[in-house]
């Protein structure tokens, strides 16, 4: 097992290198000079030349990439002139808030997706199965930003049950209960799409496992239906669902970028939007790199977990 984990860790290195190269190229395809964009339209030629030299922008493009890569290895993502602090500090301060939102959404979509998939499979072709399938199709069809706006309108504006935006109340907030109240709507909105994917895959895997001979044997030996379903069938089916949960974790993290904008959640998504508006190229570059790298690491974690649960994956 340790050999497999070592191989997967080594395989991640070229992926991260390729990722950094793509981000670097995209950032340098933006028209105009980066130093001028960061300093603004009224920057003096002396200041632009100084910033160009400071950032290494007067070097050939390959050299600029290797300088940036070397800085990343040493934990230096550059300096944000709009926030007046290192990019890594700014990104890490907001990334924690994004992780809270993404983990809450992932917990919701995993729980509801697995539950819906199992119920739909054991009640195949029943009214329960049809209702779950209808809810899955509806969830797939709903754009997340539209659903978020509708939830704000219903539960915050009309019913006054939950806050409209933010992470804590401006006055008198700050506790765990306050955080959960603010977290509920954005986490639910973010979880809907991933729930449908997990539910569909769980249903198909459960149906396949329930047709296996050893399940018939378990039933013939007099085991209760709940034990057959949850102890034998579900444990076999979940192995193939785990990698998809890892992929959905990445999508949830990426989706948090625009959900944070809808709900004014103070995470890395809002930070990136602000950085784009203020043309803070280094901040955008560093923020995108952290989010994309997290996506890769989430998938790596899912692969390793699947390997632990099912040794056949190593073959």
């Amino acid at each position: 097992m340790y050999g497999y984990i070592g191989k997967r860790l080594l395989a991640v290195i070229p992926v991260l290198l390729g990722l950094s190269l793509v981000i670097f190229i995209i950032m340098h395809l933006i028209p105009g000079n980066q130093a001028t964009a960061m300093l603004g339209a009224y920057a003096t030629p002396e200041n632009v030349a100084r910033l160009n030299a400071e950032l290494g922008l007067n070097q050939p493009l390959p050299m600029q990439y290797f300088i940036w890569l070397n800085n990343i290895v040493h934990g230096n993502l550059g300096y944000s002139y709009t926030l007046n602090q290192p990019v890594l500090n700014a990104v890490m301060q907001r990334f924690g808030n994004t992780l809270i939102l993404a983990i809450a959404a992932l917990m919701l979509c995993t729980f509801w997706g697995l539950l819906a998939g199992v119920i739909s499979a054991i009640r195949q072709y029943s009214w329960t199965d049809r209702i779950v399938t209808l809810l899955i199709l509806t969830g797939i069809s709903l754009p997340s930003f539209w659903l978020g706006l509708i939830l704000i309108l219903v539960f915050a504006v009309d019913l006054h049950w939950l806050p409209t935006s933010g992470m804590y109340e401006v006055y008198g907030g700050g506790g765990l209960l306050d955080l959960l109240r603010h977290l509920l709507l954005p986490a639910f909105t973010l979880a809907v799409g991933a729930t449908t994917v997990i539910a569909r895959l769980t249903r198909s895997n459960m149906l396949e496992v329930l047709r296996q001979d050893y399940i018939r044997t378990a039933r013939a030996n007099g085991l209760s239906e709940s034990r057959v379903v949850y102890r034998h069938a579900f444990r076999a089916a979940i192995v193939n669902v785990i990698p998809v949960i890892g992929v959905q974790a990445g999508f949830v993290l990426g989706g948090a970028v625009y959900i944070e904008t809808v709900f004014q959640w103070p995470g890395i998504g809002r930070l990136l939007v602000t950085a784009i508006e203020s043309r803070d190229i280094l901040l955008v570059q560093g923020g995108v790199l952290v989010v994309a790298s997290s996506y890769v690491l989430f998938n790596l974690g899912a692969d390793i977990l699947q390997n632990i649960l099912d040794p056949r994956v190593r073959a």
Side-chain angles (χ1 to χ4, degrees):
M1 183 179 73
Y2 293 109
Y4 175 83
I5 294 173
K7 287 179 185 175
R8 293 293 296 120
L9 287 173
L10 288 175
V12 163
I13 295 174
V15 174
L16 292 176
L17 283 174
L19 194 64
S20 67
L21 183 60
V22 170
I23 293 171
F24 178 82
I25 291 173
I26 290 174
M27 288 296 113
H28 282 75
L29 288 177
I30 297 173
N33 182 275
Q34 288 189 13
T36 306
M38 284 188 279
L39 293 174
Y42 300 103
T44 63
E46 293 78 15
N47 286 339
V48 172
R50 180 184 56 76
L51 191 56
N52 274 329
E54 190 177 321
L55 299 177
L57 298 175
N58 48 7
Q59 301 284 337
L61 208 56
M63 183 59 70
Q64 290 183 39
Y65 172 68
F66 284 111
I67 291 173
W68 183 57
L69 203 59
N70 181 58
N71 289 335
I72 291 172
V73 172
H74 291 87
N76 177 15
L77 295 181
Y79 193 84
S80 169
Y81 289 88
T82 55
L83 299 179
N84 199 27
Q85 62 174 310
V87 168
L88 188 61
N89 289 356
V91 170
M92 286 299 112
Q93 285 170 6
R94 296 296 192 91
F95 192 59
N97 296 341
T98 298
L99 271 183
I100 291 173
L101 176 59
I103 289 172
L106 187 63
M107 290 170 65
L108 283 177
C109 71
T110 302
F111 176 76
W112 288 114
L114 293 177
L115 185 64
V118 170
I119 291 174
S120 184
I122 61 179
R123 298 182 181 278
Q124 189 183 17
Y125 303 134
S126 67
W127 279 106
T128 306
D129 183 26
R130 292 189 178 94
I131 291 171
V132 171
T133 303
L134 179 64
L135 289 174
I136 289 172
L137 292 174
T138 306
I140 292 174
S141 308
L142 291 177
S144 296
F145 67 92
W146 179 84
L147 177 62
L149 293 174
I150 294 298
L151 291 176
I152 290 174
L153 183 64
V154 174
F155 292 100
V157 177
D158 290 342
L159 299 176
H160 302 286
W161 289 355
L162 294 167
T164 56
S165 61
M167 192 171 174
Y168 293 104
E169 292 293 339
V170 177
Y171 302 105
L176 179 61
L177 185 61
D178 190 28
L179 172 63
L180 292 176
R181 289 181 68 248
H182 284 79
L183 186 60
L184 194 56
L185 289 184
F188 179 81
T189 306
L190 196 55
V192 168
T195 301
T196 59
V197 175
I198 294 171
R200 289 178 68 190
L201 190 71
T202 304
R203 181 182 185 275
S204 62
N205 276 284
M206 281 292 294
L207 288 174
E208 187 178 340
V209 172
L210 287 170
R211 297 189 187 105
Q212 299 293 319
D213 289 339
Y214 73 92
I215 296 294
R216 293 194 191 98
T217 304
R219 283 173 173 154
N221 286 334
L223 292 181
S224 66
E225 186 64 19
S226 60
R227 190 169 182 182
V228 169
V229 170
Y230 294 105
R231 186 159 182 177
H232 295 282
F234 180 71
R235 287 180 65 177
I238 189 70
V239 173
N240 293 325
V241 180
I242 286 174
V244 176
I245 294 175
V247 172
Q248 293 308 308
F251 280 116
V252 164
L253 195 62
V257 171
Y258 59 88
I259 292 298
E260 286 174 3
T261 304
V262 173
F263 288 93
Q264 298 295 300
W265 187 266
I268 199 170
R270 283 199 64 205
L271 180 70
L272 286 175
V273 171
T274 307
I276 292 169
E277 289 173 349
S278 58
R279 297 187 176 185
D280 194 335
I281 305 297
L282 293 180
L283 187 55
V284 175
Q285 198 169 248
V288 172
L289 180 69
V290 169
V291 173
S293 301
S294 304
Y295 181 91
V296 174
L297 295 177
F298 268 121
N299 281 285
L300 173 66
D303 280 349
I304 292 175
L305 183 59
Q306 186 189 25
N307 174 269
I308 293 171
L309 294 175
D310 186 6
R312 293 174 299 176
V313 178
R314 299 171 210 163

